[in-house]
Structure formats: C-alpha cells, structure tokens
C-alpha cells in the first residue's frame, strides 16, 4: 500500500510532530458544517479539477488526508500515490472518528 491508514491519536501526533505536514480535507464545502481539523486545506475530491489541484501541491511534504468516514480520503491517497506523493496518511474513520475523539 502506498499510504497508511492511521487512527485519530496518530493523526494528532503527526500534526504536532511534522512541521511541514499539510492537513488535507477532501470533502465538499457544505460538509464543513460537520466539523473539521484545524488548519486544513479543502480540496473536494468530487470536483472535476481535483487531480489538477493535487498536482500543484508539493510532493515533498507530508499529507494528512481525511473526509467524512475515511473512504474518499483513502481514494485521494491512492490517487496521490500514483502521482508520486510518498508521505500519505489517511485518517481512519474520518471526521466522524475525529469528532468522537475530541
């Protein structure tokens, strides 16, 4: 697998430890009403320009990716890995798990 599924505790640890980490929310803007991880960057995976927006990102950085449940963010991580990104972490359970943990 070209990315790792990690739990909320490890996701928070990586946010704290990785100074160049990018927190990537791949949900739609309306889903932000369900809460979000602080300091995230929103790029909606359902939009047709998703791949081109991802291609503009720095491949040398660490990406902490999440969605609502972990499904779409897993797909986003797989796509990013195909594009040459190497430091990819998917939040298992997505924002639902995050909200339960805080």
């Amino acid at each position: 697998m070209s990315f790792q599924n990690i739990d909320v505790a490890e996701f928070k640890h990586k946010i704290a430890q990785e100074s160049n980490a990018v927190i990537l929310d791949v949900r739609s803007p309306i889903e932000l009403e369900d809460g979000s991880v602080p300091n995230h960057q929103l790029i909606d995976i359902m939009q047709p320009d998703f791949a081109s927006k991802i291609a503009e990102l720095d491949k040398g950085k660490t990406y902490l990716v999440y969605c609502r449940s972990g499904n779409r963010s897993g797909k986003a991580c797989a796509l990013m890995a195909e594009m040459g990104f190497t430091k990819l972490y998917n939040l298992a359970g997505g924002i639902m798990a995050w909200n339960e943990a805080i």
Side-chain angles (χ1 to χ4, degrees):
M1 184 179 283
S2 45
F3 64 92
Q4 282 184 279
N5 290 306
I6 59 175
D7 63 17
V8 172
E10 194 170 350
F11 201 82
K12 286 182 175 179
H13 180 73
K14 290 217 174 282
I15 291 170
Q17 297 300 313
E18 303 265 349
S19 58
N20 73 336
V22 175
I23 303 163
L24 187 59
D25 185 336
V26 298
R27 300 176 298 160
S28 66
I30 192 133
E31 289 178 281
L32 291 175
E33 293 173 5
D34 297 329
S36 62
V37 177
N39 304 312
H40 72 275
Q41 182 175 346
L42 183 68
I43 304 178
D44 184 353
I45 193 170
M46 303 308 280
Q47 293 303 310
D49 62 350
F50 179 75
S52 63
K53 284 186 176 176
I54 292 298
E56 294 170 9
L57 299 175
D58 182 346
K59 289 185 174 64
K61 292 189 174 182
T62 298
Y63 290 88
L64 303 169
V65 189
Y66 74 97
C67 63
R68 189 181 70 86
S69 65
N71 187 25
R72 284 174 286 171
S73 51
K75 290 177 182 171
C77 284
L79 175 68
M80 291 172 77
E82 286 175 20
M83 296 170 78
F85 292 85
T86 56
K87 292 179 250 176
L88 297 166
Y89 299 93
N90 179 38
L91 177 57
I95 198 69
M96 295 190 307
W98 176 273
N99 288 340
E100 281 181 22
I102 56 172

